[in-house]
Amino acid sequence: MGLTGLEIYKHLPKTNCKECGSPTCLAFAMALAAGKASLDACPYVSDEAKEALDSASAPPIKLVKVGTGDHVVDLGEETEIFRHDKRFFHPTGLAVLISDTEDVAAKVEKFEDLKFHRVGLDYVTDMVAVKCDSGDAAKFKEAVETVAGKTEKAMVLLTEDPAVMEAALDVVADRKPLLWAATADNYEKMTELAKGKECPLVLKGKDLHETAELVEKVVALGYKELVLDSGARETSKALADLTQFRRLAVRKKFRPFGYPVFAITSKDDPREEVIQAGVYLSKYADVVVMKACEKQQLLPLLSWRQNIYTDPQKPVAVEAKLNAVGDADENSPVYITTNFSLTYFLVEGEIEATRIPSWILSVDTAGTSVLTAYADNKFSAEIIAEALKKSGAEENVKRHTLILPGYVAVLKGSLEEESGGWEVMVGPREASGINKFAKEKFA
Amino acid sequence: MIIIGERINGMYNDIGKAIKGKDPKPIQEWARRQEEGGADYLDLNVGPASPNKIEAMKWLIEVTQEASDLPLCLDSTNYDAIEEGLKLCKKPAMINSVPAEMPKMERVFPMAVQYGAEVVALAMNEEGIPKDADSRIALAAELVATADSLGFSPEMLYIDPLTLPCNVAQDHGPEVMRTLREIKLISDPSPKTVIGLSNISQGTQNRDLINRTFAVMAMANGLDAGIVDANDNELMSAIATARILLNKDIYCDSFVNVFINRNR
Amino acid sequence: MAVEILKEKYRSKVGEVVLGATKEEGGTRSHTITVGGETSLPYLHFEGETPNRPVMALEVWDTAPTEWPPFFEKFYGDVWNDPGEWAKKCVNEFGADLIQLRLAGADPDINDASPEDCTVAVKKVLEAVGVPLIVIGCGKPEKDNLIYAPVAEAAAGENLLLGVAELENYKAVNSACMANKHNIIASSPIDINICKQLNILIIEMSTAMANRIIIDPTVAALGYGAEYSFSIMERARNGALQGDKMLGMPMIGNIGSEVWRTKEAITPTEDEPGWGEQEERGILWEATTAMAYLQSGIDMLVMRHPEALKIIEKQIDDLMQDNSY
């Protein structure tokens, strides 16, 4: 979205001199808004007008990078309020908080162990935050050094004291950590530090208004690698502020808010903290800092992050292969479904619930559901038989029983032929019918 | 698309007679019928024959509001009649219309601000209706700039790019379409657009077909509102369908009925 | 620098539905519960109202469940052979706002309980607790269609929420609701078009049902398509606020039953040590799923683990705090 005619018009000299070739300044502004003229045609345009037009072509939210090498975390560059309108692009950086007053080495080791494998995907907690609670520059520096020595993940450094920050930067500036925070009181020194070391900087206001003011001041000092924190810490207030940041940046192109945003949990109870972080993750935070560090606490958050940052326009596919459910062995039946993840996981969940060890053959249908794939000729007897051969089922499963989704019962005969002697059973149409079906046939 | 029902207009014989004879029945009958047909607003026009436009407008508003709760669109070039009318309207109304002419804009926009009314504005001035899109857009921009300077929000402005019958001015068609698109570039929030639909088919054969085809094309180019025959079922069905295809309404199998009955 | 706060203006709002009926209203509930009525997206109090806080039900079955993870026994083991006692514990001890009675025992593959048995279970719960009641069938349409009418009749006047109606099978349950003035759960399979169409069909049978519908858009568990449900609910709620009355109903989700069949919730710690401790993992899986749907506008959550309910209760308190500017 560019500038509107009226906005451009406000920057023009309003002399109607006609030298640009348009009859009036207003007409020229409309030609600019429609992309049919260039500002250069106006001999009298001011520098401010040029700058306003330039900034209008920038993305609504800037991309800011934290960290180095393989562990860079991209923040921002979002363009939507709702993921269904297009998609969310850069997953929220989840940062585990370590205080310089706790056993730093132990916690960072625990943090490093926060990686998960589920539904064929690897999830990692991608950021670690170190906070100065001691007030002691030397102690903070030591903590930061310990963390940096034990993880290569992107770092966030939390202190509002520029001297303390400077001490820590002595040892980790080359890791490009995110610095929290510049405030109304310290922004000049913090900006100087961040600018000197080329590290991204969080600006923390007391509210949205003060945050916007800070942005203008820091931008005036020539620094734009910024992340914003409105200072809100209660769930409801933070939700409102995060919503305003995103709306004003995307819908109004309000430049002071055109940066990624930062949230930090305030709950002490780990359970409450996890779902407070979940709210921020759901609604627009680009970085969330939280204390929780247990596997069972991070797995749900990382899963939710994976979910909402998928592309809603793209069907999500799982790997097409033979999958074991329970202790499937050579005597277990083989269910057939597509590799559309929603279908696959529904089927898998239902088969699991039967507690009868089974195989699932997910056929590559380019991530489409059973009926869509069938209609599109991506789920024919030939294709299923081919997938069956490639999967190694022939050799690994002695019991040659296939269960066909009820919706494509019509394939039964041809699949029996194509598969070369497998018994083909017609299963239920919906996954919800699997339990009953399996108990009748295989229990 | 916002549907402004066109039928209560003194140019129609039954309405003209009713206004003259102070017979509320035909007016109330059409108010109800248009509401059932799916109108969002009711256009009220006393017609050319009324000797006292102010009194006629006041009476028309009163009897219409007895039959329908829909907001009204006061259609007159007599701004005193409109102002007296606005005082009687139970819901914020629409003023129809003002051209891009300074004294008229200075009369209408402050009045609209005072009564919280929306305004239909015409992309024309003393020199008449422009031929090409650029001139229409320039007039539209002038309307928005003037409204803005008089404290009237562009969001409440409905700009009519003005159509001419397609049998006499075929070349205006594409110009109107481009005007509809580019009006959205004037300001943010942008002004809305409106078209008096039946103009396009004056004096032609197949009027209904032309009307609804044009409506759908205009919607695809961003049209927000139409002054239309809300009881033309084929037209309303086409509008409902266009809304689905433009992703304005969420599809369901009964989408036509849902659109027409949306205000019940 | 003054920031101009962006407040959306919506044309319409979510309808309100009242559940339960007190003695004066012809029922026996100690109070009623109103859901819906929002005039903004979830918890954006700065631009609209959330007049009724979301409510949570706990599940009660008419037969002891056999496939819930073993740790549920410590909460429900002493009561799950008696739906009345079970409901009482859910309300008095665990703080459920209302009860969802699932007539699971009617399933021909479980107890094949008769419609009469079902009405007995419903009455037991109604006698045991004063909160409004949700009643759903066993999930097998052919059997459920035999249950709806007798249950609706036995609970006439109680203003139940009865379900579920589906596109292929809505007439029996809708007739039962119409005849006895109950509310209905309109369930669609993560499909907004069917969701809207089903509401229309229900209202076509009787316009009196228009403010008696609760939408069940089908809530997938976290990690199993939750983002699809989330986006469908966001679209439905946006549609409702922009004036689409056929989507303007409050929404319900069966969080507990979806979550507690996922691998993440049912896999014991020793089988997946990399996933952390099982019960806590399951609780957080349920709470995180509920959190996500609160953010997409859900009005009623049916939970299973009392601890998950407790976490969400607190979060609802937090979300209901005013955030106007």
Side-chain angles (χ1 to χ4, degrees):
Chain A
M1 190 186 77
L3 284 178
T4 64
L6 214 56
E7 283 165 316
I8 297 169
Y9 177 63
K10 284 175 183 164
H11 291 286
L12 296 181
K14 302 186 189 71
T15 50
N16 297 338
C17 72
K18 299 187 177 60
E19 284 180 47
C20 61
S22 294
T24 62
C25 288
L26 193 51
F28 179 58
M30 285 311 298
L32 281 174
K36 280 182 248 168
S38 156
L39 192 61
D40 303 335
C42 175
Y44 308 106
V45 68
S46 69
D47 287 344
E48 289 95 51
K50 278 188 185 148
E51 206 182 295
L53 279 165
D54 282 348
S55 76
S57 60
I61 297 175
K62 187 177 154 58
L63 176 71
V64 173
K65 289 173 183 284
V66 182
T68 49
D70 293 340
H71 299 279
V72 169
V73 178
D74 288 337
L75 307 175
E77 225 173 28
E78 298 297 336
T79 58
E80 305 304 322
I81 314 275
F82 302 108
R83 63 183 287 283
H84 61 253
D85 282 336
K86 193 169 186 185
R87 66 170 297 182
F88 294 161
F89 289 94
H90 293 132
T92 309
L94 274 178
V96 169
L97 184 72
I98 302 177
S99 167
D100 68 347
T101 56
E102 66 185 315
D103 183 344
V104 175
K107 189 150 183 193
V108 72
E109 274 159 27
K110 211 166 169 186
F111 159 78
E112 267 295 280
D113 202 26
L114 291 172
K115 40 193 159 217
F116 305 93
H117 189 80
R118 73 169 285 275
V119 300
L121 296 165
D122 290 310
Y123 297 173
V124 288
T125 311
D126 37 19
M127 301 180 96
V128 57
V130 193
K131 186 172 186 220
C132 178
D133 285 321
S134 65
D136 177 346
K139 189 156 192 192
F140 184 56
K141 182 177 176 177
E142 191 194 321
V144 168
E145 210 166 4
T146 306
V147 172
K150 286 182 180 287
T151 180
E152 292 180 4
K153 304 271 172 58
M155 296 174 74
V156 188
L157 307 182
L158 290 89
T159 173
E160 291 181 27
D161 182 338
V164 173
M165 187 67 89
E166 190 169 10
L169 282 176
D170 275 350
V171 285
V172 292
D174 59 341
R175 293 276 297 267
K176 304 290 171 218
L178 177 63
L179 313 183
W180 179 100
T183 64
D185 299 326
N186 70 9
Y187 75 91
E188 281 160 316
K189 283 201 170 137
M190 280 290 189
T191 304
E192 196 187 311
L193 268 179
K195 202 174 163 185
K197 305 283 187 189
E198 295 177 356
C199 294
L201 176 65
V202 181
L203 308 186
K204 181 174 75 106
K206 281 204 289 282
D207 55 23
L208 289 175
H209 307 295
E210 199 188 89
T211 310
E213 255 165 47
L214 261 178
V215 175
E216 299 210 309
K217 286 177 182 160
V218 173
V219 168
L221 292 173
Y223 203 56
K224 288 189 172 176
E225 299 305 309
L226 307 177
V227 174
L228 312 183
D229 174 3
S230 74
R233 297 294 179 259
E234 304 84 28
T235 312
S236 168
K237 191 75 193 108
L239 172 67
D241 282 0
L242 290 167
T243 302
Q244 289 297 332
F245 275 133
R246 177 65 61 90
R247 278 188 185 173
L248 285 163
V250 168
R251 300 263 311 279
K252 294 292 169 188
K253 268 215 153 186
F254 181 62
R255 299 317 303 184
F257 286 173
Y259 301 90
V261 292
F262 175 99
I264 184 164
T265 57
S266 60
K267 297 283 182 186
D268 289 321
D269 176 79
R271 290 172 166 179
E272 289 177 42
E273 193 198 18
V274 166
I275 57 160
Q276 187 185 36
V279 171
Y280 302 160
L281 212 157
S282 309
K283 293 288 169 80
Y284 316 130
D286 296 283
V287 184
V288 176
V289 175
M290 57 184 291
K291 301 180 282 286
C293 193
E294 299 293 335
K295 288 177 186 297
Q296 63 271 17
Q297 294 163 349
L298 268 299
L299 182 60
L301 281 178
L302 291 168
S303 302
W304 179 230
R305 178 178 76 171
Q306 191 276 333
N307 283 176
I308 56 167
Y309 279 89
T310 52
D311 183 349
Q313 261 90 45
K314 210 162 83 186
V316 188
V318 295
E319 197 186 336
K321 65 178 175 71
L322 191 66
N323 304 279
V325 181
D327 297 320
D329 60 22
E330 55 183 24
N331 296 316
S332 307
V334 179
Y335 288 83
I336 294 168
T337 188
T338 75
N339 75 331
F340 175 39
S341 69
L342 199 51
T343 309
Y344 178 81
F345 290 122
L346 271 174
V347 169
E348 187 194 52
E350 292 295 339
I351 294 174
E352 234 161 37
T354 67
R355 309 254 166 115
I356 300 169
S358 309
W359 299 96
I360 308 176
L361 177 67
S362 50
V363 177
D364 184 0
T365 55
T368 56
S369 66
V370 170
L371 282 177
T372 314
Y374 174 68
D376 211 12
N377 212 18
K378 287 186 187 126
F379 201 54
S380 64
E382 295 80 29
I383 289 172
I384 297 170
E386 183 63 31
L388 187 67
K389 275 188 197 108
K390 270 200 203 153
S391 73
E394 200 75 34
E395 301 83 57
N396 299 327
V397 187
K398 266 196 205 142
R399 172 177 184 162
H400 281 192
T401 303
L402 292 175
I403 298 115
L404 196 60
Y407 277 114
V408 289
V410 57
L411 295 178
K412 182 179 190 300
S414 46
L415 184 57
E416 271 165 352
E417 245 170 64
E418 294 284 338
S419 64
W422 284 62
E423 177 201 5
V424 178
M425 298 169 73
V426 174
R429 289 157 78 97
E430 299 290 346
S432 54
I434 287 175
N435 205 5
K436 183 183 174 204
F437 171 83
K439 294 219 160 124
E440 279 171 17
K441 308 285 180 188
F442 308 124
Chain B
M1 188 163 80
I2 298 163
I3 309 293
I4 304 167
E6 67 181 5
R7 191 55 176 73
I8 304 180
N9 188 321
M11 298 228 288
Y12 291 99
N13 276 339
D14 55 345
I15 302 292
K17 243 191 253 170
I19 294 172
K20 215 170 170 186
K22 294 228 165 188
D23 173 14
K25 263 190 206 141
I27 287 149
Q28 295 178 337
E29 167 71 13
W30 276 111
R32 276 187 287 265
R33 278 184 64 181
Q34 292 187 97
E35 185 169 349
E36 278 165 24
D40 298 299
Y41 288 76
L42 297 175
D43 191 77
L44 301 185
N45 187 323
V46 299
S50 295
N52 186 335
K53 299 257 190 297
I54 296 179
E55 286 315 306
M57 181 61 93
K58 285 167 73 176
W59 178 80
L60 205 50
I61 291 167
E62 273 167 356
V63 300
T64 304
Q65 289 189 144
E66 282 168 20
S68 168
D69 291 330
L70 289 180
L72 305 175
C73 177
L74 309 186
D75 186 354
S76 176
T77 48
N78 182 328
Y79 297 134
D80 296 331
I82 286 185
E83 177 143 29
E84 289 307 307
L86 286 173
K87 293 177 185 166
L88 297 176
C89 290
K90 291 180 188 159
K91 287 191 177 162
M94 202 182 268
I95 297 171
N96 184 11
S97 58
V98 62
E101 294 168 26
M102 209 29 119
K104 291 183 181 170
M105 291 192 283
E106 282 172 336
R107 169 82 174 95
V108 168
F109 289 128
M111 171 164 81
V113 171
Q114 187 185 342
Y115 295 96
E118 297 173 304
V119 173
V120 173
L122 311 177
M124 64 179 286
N125 58 12
E126 295 87 344
E127 293 162 31
I129 299 177
K131 256 202 194 107
D132 63 349
D134 285 333
S135 312
R136 282 181 162 96
I137 293 158
L139 289 174
E142 233 176 281
L143 283 161
V144 175
T146 310
D148 190 50
S149 72
L150 292 170
F152 183 80
S153 167
E155 276 178 286
M156 296 181 64
L157 194 61
Y158 289 74
I159 295 178
D160 187 339
L162 295 172
T163 55
L164 294 172
C166 64
N167 58 347
V168 296
Q170 240 182 309
D171 53 340
H172 279 237
E175 303 293 321
V176 167
M177 293 301 155
R178 183 153 78 82
T179 307
L180 287 172
R181 292 195 299 274
E182 292 189 14
I183 281 176
K184 295 294 175 191
L185 302 176
I186 295 175
S187 62
D188 179 23
S190 66
K192 297 189 172 79
T193 48
V194 63
I195 281 179
L197 196 64
S198 46
N199 249 8
I200 192 76
S201 61
Q202 287 288 355
T204 65
Q205 297 288 311
N206 270 327
R207 287 201 65 178
D208 293 348
L209 178 62
I210 292 172
N211 287 347
R212 66 177 177 265
T213 304
F214 182 68
V216 167
M217 290 170 65
M219 286 172 75
N221 283 284
L223 181 68
D224 297 295
I227 302 173
V228 304
D229 176 358
N231 298 97
D232 176 345
N233 266 333
E234 296 289 313
L235 171 68
M236 295 300 280
S237 304
I239 291 170
T241 309
R243 285 188 62 84
I244 293 288
L245 298 178
L246 290 167
N247 196 23
K248 299 266 187 198
D249 285 330
I250 290 169
Y251 174 84
C252 67
D253 292 345
S254 306
F255 69 87
V256 172
N257 284 337
V258 169
F259 176 73
I260 290 173
N261 295 324
R262 69 196 176 286
N263 293 322
R264 294 210 186 149
Chain C
M1 168 176 201
V3 174
E4 208 175 308
I5 298 299
L6 206 169
K7 297 179 190 177
E8 295 288 351
K9 290 175 216 139
Y10 294 109
R11 288 173 49 191
S12 194
K13 57 182 257 182
V14 179
E16 286 191 336
V17 175
V18 180
L19 304 173
T22 59
K23 207 168 168 190
E24 296 74 46
E25 295 154 335
T28 61
R29 305 296 81 208
S30 61
H31 61 280
T32 62
I33 287 179
T34 305
V35 292
E38 297 90 336
T39 63
S40 76
L41 291 176
Y43 315 106
L44 303 184
H45 310 291
F46 59 80
E47 68 186 5
E49 309 264 310
T50 305
N52 305 296
R53 60 181 274 146
V55 291
M56 283 186 285
L58 280 171
E59 278 180 83
V60 169
W61 289 21
D62 62 343
T63 178
T66 53
E67 293 180 352
W68 292 13
F71 42 77
F72 278 102
E73 200 172 339
K74 64 177 178 279
F75 300 108
Y76 303 125
D78 56 336
V79 290
W80 62 23
N81 285 308
D82 182 330
E85 289 304 311
W86 187 352
K88 220 183 255 176
K89 194 167 184 187
C90 287
V91 173
N92 297 341
E93 235 172 272
F94 303 137
D97 297 309
L98 63 179
I99 294 295
Q100 171 171 295
L101 174 63
R102 178 192 294 266
L103 298 168
D107 189 324
D109 297 326
I110 299 182
N111 301 338
D112 202 11
S114 68
E116 292 71 38
D117 297 337
C118 293
T119 60
V120 170
V122 171
K123 283 190 166 158
K124 260 191 186 166
V125 175
L126 283 169
E127 276 160 27
V129 294
V131 300
L133 188 59
I134 309 168
V135 180
I136 61 172
C138 66
K140 303 252 162 80
E142 45 309 344
K143 180 66 184 281
D144 287 343
N145 285 345
L146 306 175
I147 298 171
Y148 294 132
V151 163
E153 211 179 300
E158 297 286 6
N159 199 19
L160 299 179
L161 177 56
L162 189 61
V164 298
E166 295 172 302
L167 189 65
E168 307 297 335
N169 189 54
Y170 66 92
K171 290 186 177 154
V173 59
N174 200 31
S175 302
C177 289
M178 283 156 53
N180 299 285
K181 294 198 172 132
H182 296 304
N183 306 284
I184 195 166
I185 300 175
S187 181
S188 43
I190 315 191
D191 184 321
I192 196 164
N193 307 132
I194 292 177
C195 169
K196 188 169 167 182
Q197 185 68 17
L198 179 58
N199 292 337
I200 294 164
L201 295 172
I202 288 170
I203 295 169
E204 272 177 8
M205 277 178 74
S206 160
T207 50
M209 292 304 292
N211 56 359
R212 290 184 166 275
I213 297 174
I214 303 286
I215 291 173
D216 166 21
T218 302
V219 291
L222 172 62
Y224 294 85
E227 72 276 28
Y228 293 84
S229 305
F230 178 86
S231 284
I232 277 178
M233 289 166 72
E234 277 201 322
R235 287 177 64 199
R237 186 49 53 91
N238 267 306
L241 294 173
Q242 281 156 17
D244 192 335
K245 293 204 175 121
M246 292 304 136
L247 290 168
M249 295 81 173
M251 300 187 279
I252 190 172
N254 273 301
I255 310 289
S257 56
E258 285 299 319
V259 165
W260 290 100
R261 54 196 192 113
T262 64
K263 216 192 259 180
E264 287 72 10
I266 63 177
T267 306
T269 314
E270 52 277 19
D271 292 356
E272 279 284 0
W275 285 358
E277 198 271 316
Q278 184 199 351
E279 185 171 2
E280 189 65 14
R281 186 202 317 137
I283 291 169
L284 287 172
W285 209 262
E286 185 172 2
T288 307
T289 304
M291 173 282 297
Y293 293 124
L294 284 170
Q295 288 305 315
S296 54
I298 206 161
D299 301 273
M300 303 179 70
L301 302 138
V302 185
M303 308 290 285
R304 183 171 294 175
H305 200 296
E307 294 293 318
L309 177 134
K310 214 189 281 174
I311 304 171
I312 293 301
E313 189 70 41
K314 279 221 170 127
Q315 184 168 63
I316 293 172
D317 286 343
D318 290 336
L319 291 169
M320 289 300 288
Q321 297 297 314
D322 187 24
N323 57 21
S324 49
Y325 289 95

